[in-house]
């Protein structure tokens, strides 16, 4: 199955515009633009992960607690639908017109209570939520100070913001944040400031700015994984009353869809009056809202857990156990790599390295997203190596990240096992050994690793 997926990907990377001289100029122009991506093997395509149809190991999806793959969310969702047999399939329109209904208001309040917020407003996606927040909330004269690695949809929202001043600071760097904040205060002392942060890496309560400053926290990767009952980073730190706006997406740990914006009534009213992404779109339908409610209910049911037994199946794990299992598996992965001299050499050569793994033994928490950085071109070679050995992981490359900063995003889940992680680590080290041997061999017949040669052979025959 992995070979079939790679073959399809290869076919989609072949240039098309040169063979379209007689085609309509409208379509030829589009294909010429797409050929720029194809030339760099960066053409995005629809893909079907091998783990969904075969026996491949899964280190790529956003199903963080494995509630989707285990079938638990399906059961909870169908139970929720069965409890409301006369539900409507459609919502009927915008929330400001015919798209508002009792059930969505009930679920929004339940979610607000779950996260310790005053109100919740459900929207169709995390993109829609961030665009709504940053296009509607900042007023003329406000300054937005944001982490340089905020999600692309935050940038999309800021493009439409009334704020004319937007300043970034180095990722997760508190000192850099304070420098930017001081610059704002020195140059524009009467300005209000909004701070855009991601909730995927726990911080500490370290002197939050006072006065006109407020925080907006994107909890897309904190939902379900951090905090009491999976309520997120803000709840973990006890800052529910100090954060002005929180965004929780439901398509990751909750294994459903949609997103929720948390704030007070003023924030909700501002969004409903000024956010075009909310005003001019259809409200979430009953089935979509029911799936979110089912996911939150699963988190609540599994709040109390015990240590996982050796042979306990994923279907019987509580969410607390799954959270703990993610931590255990990431540490296990780091320990295997650290004990392998090949990994140490590859890291010294800057062939492969994981920046966030430094001092991993002294950390009390580890992110479930592990970015494996590689040399240019090695990014795809390693993915080929993993995919052909039935390990699903995806490359992150330009234009998603700047050129020369390619990496592989490894996603660890509550349902992964130690054996899967050990296979992943040993496979990565085997690739590193092969590349080191190639680089150190003076008379190597080929500078291309074996698995990449197989893929290039498929490319030639495609």
């Amino acid at each position: 199955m992995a070979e079939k997926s790679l073959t399809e990907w290869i076919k989609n990377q072949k240039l098309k515009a040169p063979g379209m001289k007689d085609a309509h100029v409208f379509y030829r122009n589009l294909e010429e633009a797409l050929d720029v991506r194809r030339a760099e093997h960066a053409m995005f395509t629809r893909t079907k992960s091998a783990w969904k149809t075969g026996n491949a190991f899964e280190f790529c999806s956003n199903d963080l607690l494995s509630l989707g793959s285990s079938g638990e969310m399906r059961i909870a969702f169908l139970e929720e639908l069965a409890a409301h047999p006369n539900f409507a399939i459609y919502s009927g329109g915008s929330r400001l017109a015919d798209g508002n209904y009792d059930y969505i208001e009930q679920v929004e309040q339940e979610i607000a209570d779950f996260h310790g917020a005053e109100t919740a407003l459900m929207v169709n996606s995390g993109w829609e939520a961030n665009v709504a927040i940053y296009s509607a909330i900042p007023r003329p004269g406000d300054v937005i100070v944001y982490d340089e690695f905020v999600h692309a949809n935050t940038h999309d929202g800021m493009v439409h913001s009334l704020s004319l001043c937007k300043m970034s600071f180095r990722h997760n760097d508190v000192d850099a944040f304070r420098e930017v904040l001081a610059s704002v205060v020195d140059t524009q002392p009467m300005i209000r400031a909004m701070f855009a942060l991601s909730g995927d890496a726990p911080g500490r309560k370290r002197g939050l700015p006072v006065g006109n400053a407020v925080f907006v926290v994107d909890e897309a990767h904190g939902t379900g994984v951090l905090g009491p009952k999976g309520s997120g980073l803000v709840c973990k730190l006890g800052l529910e009353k100090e954060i002005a706006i929180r965004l929780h997406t439901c398509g990751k740990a909750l294994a459903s869809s949609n997103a929720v914006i948390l704030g007070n009534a003023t924030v909700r009213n501002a969004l409903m009056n000024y956010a075009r992404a909310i005003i001019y779109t259809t409200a979430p339908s009953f089935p979509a809202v029911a799936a979110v409610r089912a996911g939150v209910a699963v988190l609540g049911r599994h709040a109390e857990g015990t240590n996982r037994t050796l042979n306990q199946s994923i279907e019987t794990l509580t969410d607390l156990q799954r959270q703990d299992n993610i931590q255990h598996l990431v540490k296990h992965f780091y320990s295997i790599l650290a004990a392998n001299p090949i990994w140490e050499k590859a890291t010294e050569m800057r062939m492969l390295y994981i920046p966030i793994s430094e001092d991993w033994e002294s950390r009390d928490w580890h992110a479930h997203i592990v970015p494996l950085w590689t040399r240019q071109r090695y990014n795809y070679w390693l993915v080929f190596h993993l995919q052909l050995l039935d390990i699903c992981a995806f490359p992150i490359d330009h234009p998603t990240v700047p050129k020369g900063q390619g990496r592989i995003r490894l996603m660890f889940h509550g349902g992964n096992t130690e054996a899967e992680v050990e296979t992943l680590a040993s496979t990565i080290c085997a690739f590193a050994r092969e590349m080191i041997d190639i680089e150190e061999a003076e008379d190597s017949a080929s500078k291309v690793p074996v698995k990449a040669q197989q893929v290039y052979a498929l490319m030639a025959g495609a």
Side-chain angles (χ1 to χ4, degrees), residues 106-120 235 262:
Q106 174 189 344
V107 174
E108 285 175 335
Q109 190 56 55
E110 291 172 356
I111 293 173
D113 294 341
F114 180 78
H115 293 287
E118 181 180 332
T119 73
C235 291
L262 304 177

Side-chain angles (χ1 to χ4, degrees), residues 6-76:
L6 285 171
T7 301
E8 289 299 316
W9 176 80
I10 288 167
K11 288 180 179 179
N12 284 308
Q13 305 306 315
K14 287 198 166 186
L15 302 183
K16 287 191 176 182
M20 297 180 64
K21 293 181 179 179
D22 297 328
H24 194 291
V25 65
F26 172 77
Y27 299 106
R28 189 171 67 247
N29 286 344
L30 288 176
E31 291 296 353
E32 286 176 351
L34 291 171
D35 277 352
V36 175
R37 294 281 180 89
R38 294 186 180 107
E40 298 181 348
H41 292 167
M43 168 79 168
F44 292 147
T45 63
R46 294 176 300 171
T47 184
K48 297 177 182 177
S49 294
W51 70 268
K52 292 184 177 180
T53 55
N55 297 316
F57 296 152
E58 201 264 281
F59 289 97
C60 57
S61 84
N62 284 328
D63 186 15
L64 304 180
L65 296 177
S66 302
L67 297 181
S69 59
S70 69
E72 185 168 1
M73 260 298 296
R74 184 191 312 112
I75 295 171

Side-chain angles (χ1 to χ4, degrees), residues 184-247:
V184 171
V185 172
D186 289 342
T187 59
Q188 304 176 76
M190 300 304 294
I191 290 298
R192 297 179 299 276
M194 289 181 62
F195 303 107
L197 306 172
S198 297
D200 58 346
R204 301 170 185 263
K205 302 177 187 177
R206 295 182 60 179
L208 299 182
V210 295
N212 289 337
V214 297
F215 275 88
V216 180
V217 179
D218 186 337
E219 295 254 33
H221 283 280
T223 308
V225 178
L226 289 170
K229 303 181 183 180
S231 52
L233 171 63
V234 172
C235 291
K236 176 183 175 68
L237 298 177
L239 298 174
E240 297 93 329
K241 304 301 181 183
E242 300 181 61
I243 304 300
I245 301 174
R246 286 175 273 166
L247 164 60

Side-chain angles (χ1 to χ4, degrees), residues 141-156:
D142 287 351
V143 174
I144 301 176
V145 179
Y146 62 95
D147 187 300
E148 64 177 339
F149 287 168
V150 291
H151 198 277
N153 55 30
T154 301
H155 289 281
D156 290 343

Side-chain angles (χ1 to χ4, degrees), residues 389-410:
L389 292 173
D390 294 325
I391 298 174
C392 290
F394 289 120
I396 308 295
D397 216 329
H398 179 77
T400 303
V401 296
K403 287 186 177 181
Q405 296 185 24
R407 68 205 71 171
I408 296 171
R409 188 177 76 161
L410 300 174

Side-chain angles (χ1 to χ4, degrees), residues 195-460:
F195 303 107
L197 306 172
S198 297
D200 58 346
R204 301 170 185 263
K205 302 177 187 177
R206 295 182 60 179
L208 299 182
V210 295
N212 289 337
V214 297
F215 275 88
V216 180
V217 179
D218 186 337
E219 295 254 33
H221 283 280
T223 308
V225 178
L226 289 170
K229 303 181 183 180
S231 52
L233 171 63
V234 172
C235 291
K236 176 183 175 68
L237 298 177
L239 298 174
E240 297 93 329
K241 304 301 181 183
E242 300 181 61
I243 304 300
I245 301 174
R246 286 175 273 166
L247 164 60
H248 287 268
T249 58
C250 309
K252 297 179 175 65
L254 293 184
S256 50
S257 60
N258 296 69
V260 179
I261 304 170
L262 304 177
N264 63 17
T266 300
V267 168
R268 182 177 63 182
N269 287 335
L271 289 168
M272 295 183 70
N273 279 274
Y274 296 112
R276 296 168 67 87
I278 293 173
I279 297 170
Y280 299 111
T281 194
T282 302
S285 65
F286 186 101
V289 177
V292 174
R293 190 186 196 200
V296 175
V298 169
L299 292 182
R301 279 203 305 268
H302 289 174
E304 298 300 327
T306 57
N307 292 330
R308 181 180 186 179
T309 60
L310 182 62
N311 298 315
Q312 190 173 0
S313 66
I314 177 58
E315 290 81 3
T316 63
L317 287 180
T318 70
D319 293 309
L320 182 58
Q321 288 173 318
R322 292 175 189 179
Q323 289 181 24
D324 291 342
N325 195 42
I326 292 172
Q327 294 300 302
H328 168 68
L329 293 177
V330 174
K331 292 177 183 177
H332 190 48
F333 178 67
Y334 288 152
S335 68
I336 295 172
L337 293 181
N340 192 316
I342 291 297
W343 172 258
E344 182 179 1
K345 186 171 183 178
T347 299
E348 290 175 353
M349 296 172 66
R350 273 303 191 252
M351 177 185 291
L352 303 173
Y353 59 102
I354 301 173
I356 65 172
S357 68
E358 296 178 6
D359 302 322
W360 67 270
E361 291 178 293
S362 62
R363 298 185 183 182
D364 57 4
W365 186 90
H366 295 278
H368 54 277
I369 305 173
V370 175
L372 174 55
W373 288 56
T374 70
R375 285 186 187 167
Q376 192 75 6
R377 185 177 51 177
Y378 286 21
N379 199 21
Y380 282 99
W381 286 358
L382 178 52
V383 167
F384 296 157
H385 191 89
L386 294 172
Q387 293 275 6
L388 289 174
L389 292 173
D390 294 325
I391 298 174
C392 290
F394 289 120
I396 308 295
D397 216 329
H398 179 77
T400 303
V401 296
K403 287 186 177 181
Q405 296 185 24
R407 68 205 71 171
I408 296 171
R409 188 177 76 161
L410 300 174
M411 302 288 286
F412 289 77
H413 309 89
N416 285 129
T417 66
E418 284 189 354
E420 292 172 351
V421 170
E422 289 162 5
T423 299
L424 172 66
S426 63
T427 303
I428 291 171
C429 289
F431 172 82
R433 177 185 291 275
E434 182 180 7
M435 294 312 304
I436 290 171
D437 290 344
I438 288 175
E439 291 192 5
E440 293 183 345
E442 295 181 0
D443 57 348
S444 177
S446 174
K447 297 296 184 180
V448 180
V450 172
K451 297 301 182 185
Q453 291 180 37
Q454 292 179 23
V455 172
Y456 292 149
L458 291 172
M459 186 180 296

